[in-house]
């Protein structure tokens, strides 16, 4: 039962508590303000505002304050409520999966200690479709200071192909806490393109855990777009558990005002002949603060690994800040790993060149920043999604 | 008329241009030559309005409008185009997009409506022939991976698309092989008419075989020390700039 799962996770959390800055992974994350807030769990699952985007060819799913709205008619996909599934004891594997991940990250534990429901999606063998799954996760309540614990478990069976958009939105006028967990299991030969869009309130605390487990010959591409944030923490863990598995991730984060965007990535090359590629680009303005921590882990005997991690940032104001630390932990030979990080201001010579051709300084900046993000934006295969994101980007 | 009067410019408190004066009438082509370090590039950057090129004294005017305090984009809006010695590349910025953005920005400044897309394409297809580009160039990122000669020809393409009324070309002929040189000269001649004037800054007399300059100026130590016709170039070829220093000393 969910209550039991909640309780055992709570016991674990009580033992370890919130992480402090002494913890290497939380060095740049100041949780004081968050801990001083008194959040209440939401019990409201209807909303009056309208959110999200319209896609012409999509299977639409909605979560309101962590509660999934289940529509019976969802093609041949298995889309269920996690609570229904667990309480009916029909899926032991899922319960096992949830319990297994207990300890990994304090906020992941907190989600497990508090969640009441979520989406379980199973994509059957050989599934292929032009349609995107569009999962809209909304944080909105009549009251301020509400917590929600949305959860998604996505299993791709062998050779299944899927494109999914996970859109995290919230009431821009409210201060809320959203602790979101998504766990993906990608079986042999499966292919997934996963787009995460974050448009949070500036007053929000958004903690996000994404775990990706991949079997042999699977290909997972994650695209993270942090378009609007308050206090944002994103933890991504990739486990490459089968030969020829490939994990790639593109990220774009835009910081404005007092926003804080804290990216933490771990890629575990658990077996030999696995590849990974991570590229994140950040633009930071005003008093915003960004973090890019990434670690590629290559244990002993994981031979013939290809890995690349990059982080490039442009800082637009004297008061914005970025900490970038791409790291490698390699315990064997015969691997090809590269990493790099750059941070700078906009190229003055390039700005002057554009101005000398009649383009005013504001537009010149936009052109240069657009070209900086081009590599990330061009990865979006859905034109409607691409237009939506481009429309939301402003500097 | 384009007019520079008693221009004095310092960079990092060092005086580079000293009471420099120059007047260019519509339709004229003026050539400025001078040894390294004489202030040629400072002059172009000052005319273009680059940061840190502070005008201590003097004026730059075009059609009686003072340019001294205008932003770079306003100067080109007023019809004054500057091509630089080392055009920089803009990775990720498509050439055709860039040109359209430039043309429309200038039109907006001049109170004109946006250019019609079909006409713009028609014009660009015509102009790339003038600089011997094939169509692939206009779809590439601006100057990204271009050879030195290709960059210079791209500058001429911009000149032909923007159609200013005066162009200041800073060593647009340097580093070119003979074919590229002819192409650049052809572009300059295409641009020039009875209304449009050119100031060409160069080290070499080579390109002048293809152009018809009205005046040759010699820039030394921050000011113009001699002005003459094309015959001045031949004397320079013969005797070098030292000849002028000696003359100057004798004058003194």
């Amino acid at each position: 039962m969910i209550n039991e799962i909640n309780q055992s996770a709570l016991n674990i959390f009580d033992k370890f508590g919130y992480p402090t800055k002494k913890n290497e992974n939380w060095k740049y994350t100041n949780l004081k303000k968050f801990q001083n807030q008194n959040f209440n769990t939401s019990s409201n699952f209807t909303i009056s505002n309208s959110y999200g985007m319209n896609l012409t060819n999509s299977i639409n799913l909605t979560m309101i304050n962590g509660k999934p709205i289940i529509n019976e008619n969802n093609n041949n996909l298995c889309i269920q409520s996690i609570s229904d599934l667990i309480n009916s004891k029909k899926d032991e594997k899922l319960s096992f999966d949830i319990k297994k991940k207990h300890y990994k990250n304090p906020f992941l534990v907190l989600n497990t200690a508090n969640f009441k429901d979520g989406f379980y999606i199973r994509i059957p063998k050989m599934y292929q479709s032009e349609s995107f799954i569009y999962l809209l996760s909304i944080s909105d309540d009549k009251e301020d200071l509400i917590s929600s614990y949305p959860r998604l478990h996505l299993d791709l069976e062998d050779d299944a192909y899927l494109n999914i958009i996970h859109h995290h939105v919230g009431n821009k006028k409210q201060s809320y806490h959203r602790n979101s967990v998504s766990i993906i299991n990608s079986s042999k030969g499966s292919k997934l393109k996963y787009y995460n869009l974050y448009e949070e309130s500036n007053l929000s605390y958004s903690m996000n855990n994404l775990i990706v487990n991949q079997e042999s010959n699977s290909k997972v591409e994650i695209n993270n777009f942090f378009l609007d944030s308050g206090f944002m923490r994103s933890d991504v863990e990739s486990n490459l558990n089968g030969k020829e598995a490939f994990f790639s991730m593109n990220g774009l984060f835009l910081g404005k005002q007092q926003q804080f965007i804290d990216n933490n990535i771990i890629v575990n090359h658990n077996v030999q002949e696995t590849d990974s590629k991570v590229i994140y680009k950040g633009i930071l303005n005003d008093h915003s603060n960004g973090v890019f921590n990434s670690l590629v882990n290559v244990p002993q005997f994981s031979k013939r690994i290809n890995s690349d991690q990059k982080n490039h940032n442009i800082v637009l104001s004297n008061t914005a800040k970025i900490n970038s630390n791409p790291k490698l932990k390699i315990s064997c030979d015969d691997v090809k790993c590269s990493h790099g990080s750059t941070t700078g201001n906009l190229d003055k010579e390039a700005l002057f060149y554009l101005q000398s051709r009649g383009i005013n300084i504001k537009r010149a900046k936009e052109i240069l920043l657009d070209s900086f993000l081009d590599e990330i934006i061009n990865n979006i295969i859905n034109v409607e999604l691409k237009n939506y994101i481009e429309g939301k980007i402003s500097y | 008329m384009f007019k520079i009067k008693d221009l004095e410019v310092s960079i990092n408190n060092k005086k580079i241009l000293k009471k420099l004066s120059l007047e260019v009438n519509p339709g004229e082509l003026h050539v400025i030559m001078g040894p390294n370090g004489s202030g040629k590039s400072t002059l172009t950057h000052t005319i273009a309005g680059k940061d840190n090129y502070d005008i201590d004294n003097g004026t730059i005017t075009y059609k009686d409008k003072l340019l001294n305090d205008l932003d770079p984009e306003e100067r080109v809006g007023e019809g004054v185009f500057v091509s630089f010695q080392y055009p920089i590349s803009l990775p990720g910025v498509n050439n055709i997009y860039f040109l359209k953005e430039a043309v429309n920005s200038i039109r907006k400044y001049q109170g004109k409506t946006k250019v019609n897309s079909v006409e713009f394409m028609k014009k660009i297809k015509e102009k790339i022939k003038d600089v011997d580009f094939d169509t692939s160039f206009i779809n590439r990122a601006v100057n990204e991976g271009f050879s030195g000669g290709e960059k210079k020809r791209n500058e001429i393409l911009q000149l032909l698309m923007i159609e200013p009324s005066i162009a200041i070309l800073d060593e647009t002929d340097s580093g070119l092989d003979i074919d590229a040189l002819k192409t650049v000269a052809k572009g300059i001649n295409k641009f020039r008419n009875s209304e449009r004037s050119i100031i060409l800054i160069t080290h070499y007399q080579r390109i002048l075989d293809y152009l018809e300059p009205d005046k040759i100026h010699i820039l030394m130590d921050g000011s113009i020390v001699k002005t003459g016709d094309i015959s001045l170039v031949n004397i320079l070829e013969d005797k070098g700039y030292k000849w002028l220093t000696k003359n100057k000393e004798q004058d003194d």
Side-chain angles (χ1 to χ4, degrees), chain B:
Chain B
M1 189 203 282
F2 182 77
K3 207 167 166 183
I4 297 176
K5 195 163 187 302
D6 295 332
L7 187 67
E8 298 197 316
V9 174
S10 302
I11 302 166
N12 299 327
N13 294 323
K14 190 172 181 255
K15 192 142 277 188
I16 309 291
L17 298 183
K18 300 163 189 169
K19 283 197 173 284
L20 188 146
S21 295
L22 183 68
E23 285 183 16
V24 182
N25 292 310
E28 287 182 351
L29 194 164
H30 289 219
V31 175
I32 298 178
M33 301 182 91
N36 293 325
S38 56
K40 300 192 297 294
S41 287
T42 300
L43 177 63
T44 48
H45 285 127
T46 307
I47 296 171
K50 196 174 187 183
D51 267 357
N52 302 326
Y53 286 76
D54 304 324
I55 297 178
D56 302 330
N57 275 307
T59 55
I60 306 171
T61 52
Y62 186 54
K63 292 181 180 167
D64 294 328
K65 175 140 189 162
L66 185 67
L67 303 184
N68 284 35
D69 297 322
L70 295 189
D71 286 334
E73 64 269 24
E74 295 173 321
R75 298 181 190 212
V76 67
E78 293 293 337
V80 181
F81 174 93
V82 178
S83 168
F84 304 103
Q85 193 180 351
Y86 304 107
I88 73 155
S89 53
L90 302 170
V93 182
N94 177 287
N95 218 357
I96 196 159
Y97 170 79
F98 166 71
L99 276 169
K100 204 170 172 183
E101 196 75 33
V103 167
N104 278 331
S105 298
I106 292 164
R107 289 179 70 91
K108 193 179 170 191
Y109 180 85
Q110 295 169 342
K112 295 177 188 163
T113 55
K114 276 191 177 178
V115 65
N116 171 299
S117 284
V118 179
E119 277 167 27
F120 180 81
M121 282 314 292
K122 216 174 116 187
K123 188 168 166 184
I124 203 165
K125 277 180 183 156
E126 181 195 314
K127 301 298 180 192
I128 56 172
K129 279 186 209 149
D130 290 340
V131 294
D132 294 334
F133 269 167
D134 66 64
T135 36
S136 71
F137 277 93
I138 54 170
N139 291 312
R140 282 167 62 181
V142 180
N143 294 332
E144 177 77 346
F146 283 30
S147 71
E150 285 164 354
K151 282 183 187 171
K152 296 293 169 80
R153 282 191 279 156
N154 206 23
E155 292 285 292
I156 298 297
L157 176 64
Q158 290 171 16
L159 171 70
L160 295 173
M161 289 303 291
I162 289 173
E163 297 185 311
S165 34
I166 179 163
I168 293 91
L169 309 174
D170 188 2
E171 297 200 24
T172 310
D173 60 329
S174 65
L176 300 181
D177 61 36
I178 189 68
D179 293 329
L181 187 79
K182 279 183 185 167
T183 305
V184 165
K186 186 177 80 181
I188 294 171
N189 285 326
K190 284 247 174 191
F191 166 74
R192 189 179 177 189
N193 64 25
S194 61
E195 293 302 313
R196 296 177 183 160
S197 22
I198 295 154
I199 300 173
L200 175 70
I201 293 168
T202 182
H203 268 300
Y204 311 102
Q205 103 325 335
R206 248 186 354 164
I207 193 165
L208 304 180
D209 295 344
Y210 308 98
L211 304 172
E212 285 169 28
D214 295 293
K215 276 181 184 169
I216 311 286
H217 306 278
I218 312 294
L219 180 66
M220 284 177 88
D221 193 26
S223 51
I224 285 169
V225 295
K226 200 159 186 68
T227 296
D229 60 14
I230 189 81
S231 62
L232 193 55
V233 179
N234 297 326
I235 303 173
L236 270 184
E237 276 296 302
D238 243 23
K239 301 182 175 171
Y241 292 112
K242 275 182 192 160
W243 158 68
L244 279 158
T245 343
K246 277 180 193 156
N247 265 358
K248 210 180 163 197
E249 277 164 10
Q250 278 167 11
D251 289 350
D252 291 345

Side-chain angles (χ1 to χ4, degrees), chain A residues 275-286:
Chain A
D275 294 349
S276 70
K277 190 174 179 220
V278 173
I279 175 155
Y280 265 55
K281 290 195 170 184
I283 298 174
L284 296 149
N285 206 346
D286 306 325

